[in-house]
Amino acid sequence: MNNLSLLTMKDLSVNDILDLLNDARAFHISTKDWQFPPRKALAANLFFEPSTRTHYSFLSAENQLGFKAVDFHASESSLTKGESLYDTVKTFESIGYDVLVIRHPQDEYFKELENIQIPIINAGDGKGNHPTQCLLDLLTIYEEFGRFEGIHLLICGDVAHSRVAASNKEALEKLGAEVRFCGPKEWEREGFPFCDMDENIPWADVVMLLRIQKERGASLAGMSDEEYLNRYGLNKERYGRMKDSAIIMHPAPVNRGVEIDTDLVECEKSRIFKQMENGVLVRKAVLKRAMGYAPFEKVSAMDPFEKVDLDHPAKGDDHAAH
Ligand code: CP
């Protein structure tokens, strides 16, 4: 496996994470137009599961960086003739692709790909890992609070099937945040003990809702959407008890009116669409790293844990690091 692959958040040290977040911020502040040198690097997006945000933000990031990017369509490929995942990926390597972005329903599918030498970026494996979602969540939290140390996250809902919950627990605890989980008892996961949602709403700096993953076997077990919202979701009453400074996050897609009241999806505290915006920035940073480029210089002289107003960067922040 190429050591510039990104498969899980365990692959990244704290410094690696901070470098990627810094590069993502640089892509927003000072190096918006940064591209690879003229040789068109080739990227392929292999999505074996549906995706809107991850797939099309990778495509946007690839286009912005000057890649020649293609999408793989499993139903039109030789997978339909019985070719394996390994042989499919090995084929992309053999015919000259430089980097592959892969989403697959199998947990840790990448363990089958250890002999592949080009970098692989994991765009989600089963209920295992979603490292670029985690990085965009980290960027969103960092932008809001300017630090991770001591930040309280409450992750609510279908934790059992959530690769987002798994990646965020791994990274945020490493960065000094405290993460708690809540939801229906049947969706509790080993190593992710549940707490009481109502008791912990006023504690949280970030309330992160998770979608019920019906495609992985989760079900409401006869509960109506309204009943789920009132028992386990972010309804208006719980919203009213959040801290003034707290924010709402959700990896999306959102089931409006189920895990969150539809009126709260775009409310003042919601950062749900900001998360998507940040997804393009972190995916540019991850692709740049995968292609072997060193991190940009720090986007400001400030400590990486200090707050930077991305809309009004401090003077001197606009150096380009081409
Ligand atoms: N958050 C997320 O992974 O969304 P998609 O499934 O649309 O990519």
Side-chain angles (χ1 to χ4, degrees):
M1 190 62 83
N2 188 301
N3 64 9
L4 297 175
S5 290
L6 177 57
L7 306 174
T8 80
M9 288 306 289
K10 289 192 190 84
D11 297 344
L12 300 175
S13 67
V14 167
N15 280 342
D16 293 334
I17 294 171
L18 295 179
D19 282 344
L20 283 166
L21 297 183
N22 184 72
D23 277 9
R25 293 164 65 221
F27 278 127
H28 185 67
I29 296 170
S30 55
T31 55
K32 287 186 168 75
D33 300 326
W34 189 93
Q35 286 202 324
F36 296 123
R39 179 186 83 85
K40 286 271 184 223
L42 294 174
N45 302 311
L46 286 71
F47 279 71
F48 297 87
E49 264 190 354
S51 166
T52 300
R53 274 144 294 277
T54 313
H55 188 165
Y56 294 99
S57 62
F58 263 114
L59 203 51
S60 172
E62 289 154 358
N63 285 319
Q64 288 182 43
L65 290 172
F67 275 102
K68 177 82 182 143
V70 299
D71 284 335
F72 170 77
H73 300 287
S75 62
E76 295 163 21
S77 77
S78 288
L79 280 171
T80 59
K81 303 173 206 164
E83 192 163 40
S84 67
L85 174 65
Y86 175 80
D87 285 339
T88 302
V89 171
K90 186 73 187 164
T91 301
F92 274 93
E93 178 176 73
S94 307
I95 61 182
Y97 280 81
D98 297 291
V99 60
L100 303 178
V101 175
I102 304 179
R103 171 175 285 191
H104 199 282
Q106 184 185 314
D107 288 7
E108 300 187 321
Y109 67 82
F110 42 79
K111 288 196 167 159
E112 291 177 23
L113 305 178
E114 276 169 8
N115 290 336
I116 303 295
Q117 298 305 312
I118 55 173
I120 292 172
I121 301 172
N122 181 13
D125 62 288
K127 56 183 178 348
N129 305 272
H130 198 346
T132 60
Q133 176 71 43
C134 178
L135 287 165
L136 75 86
D137 290 343
L138 295 180
L139 181 60
T140 307
I141 292 166
Y142 179 73
E143 278 180 10
E144 195 66 37
F145 301 103
R147 65 191 166 89
F148 299 106
E149 187 76 40
I151 295 296
H152 294 170
L153 250 95
L154 183 62
I155 301 185
C156 315
D158 185 2
V159 174
H161 302 99
S162 176
R163 54 198 176 205
V164 175
S167 287
N168 274 331
K169 176 174 162 56
E170 169 72 34
L172 279 154
E173 289 181 349
K174 194 151 64 177
L175 291 163
E178 190 177 339
V179 189
R180 294 183 186 172
F181 301 91
C182 61
K185 201 69 186 160
E186 56 267 44
W187 293 340
E188 197 166 15
R189 179 170 179 164
E190 198 181 337
F192 300 67
F194 275 5
C195 65
D196 183 86
M197 185 178 193
D198 284 313
E199 278 175 19
N200 282 280
I201 282 277
W203 167 87
D205 297 302
V206 179
V207 176
M208 182 181 285
L209 293 317
L210 300 175
R211 181 176 64 86
I212 302 165
Q213 301 210 23
K214 292 181 182 160
E215 72 276 23
R216 293 186 219 289
S219 102
L220 285 171
M223 216 183 290
S224 69
D225 291 354
E226 194 182 358
E227 194 180 348
Y228 183 87
L229 176 66
N230 288 325
R231 287 181 66 180
Y232 303 110
L234 188 65
N235 60 12
K236 288 186 178 127
E237 187 277 324
R238 292 190 180 105
Y239 178 76
R241 292 192 295 108
M242 286 173 64
K243 282 184 192 172
D244 287 347
S245 58
I247 60 169
I248 299 167
M249 294 174 65
H250 190 314
V254 175
N255 293 310
R256 287 175 179 252
V258 184
E259 62 267 8
I260 180 169
D261 186 296
T262 191
D263 293 342
L264 301 180
V265 174
E266 294 175 69
C267 72
E268 198 188 335
K269 288 184 180 303
S270 172
R271 299 293 178 272
I272 296 172
F273 289 92
K274 183 69 185 167
Q275 287 172 264
M276 297 178 204
E277 206 179 307
N278 285 341
V280 179
L281 299 174
V282 301
R283 287 170 179 130
K284 285 172 78 172
V286 168
L287 286 160
K288 170 176 159 282
R289 173 183 179 272
M291 293 298 291
Y293 287 85
F296 290 137
E297 291 171 40
K298 292 284 172 267
V299 291
S300 74
M302 299 168 79
D303 181 276
F305 283 110
E306 281 185 34
K307 189 169 175 70
V308 174
D309 181 346
L310 291 174
D311 292 320
H312 304 95
K315 210 164 184 280
D317 275 350
D318 59 350
H319 60 266
H322 286 237

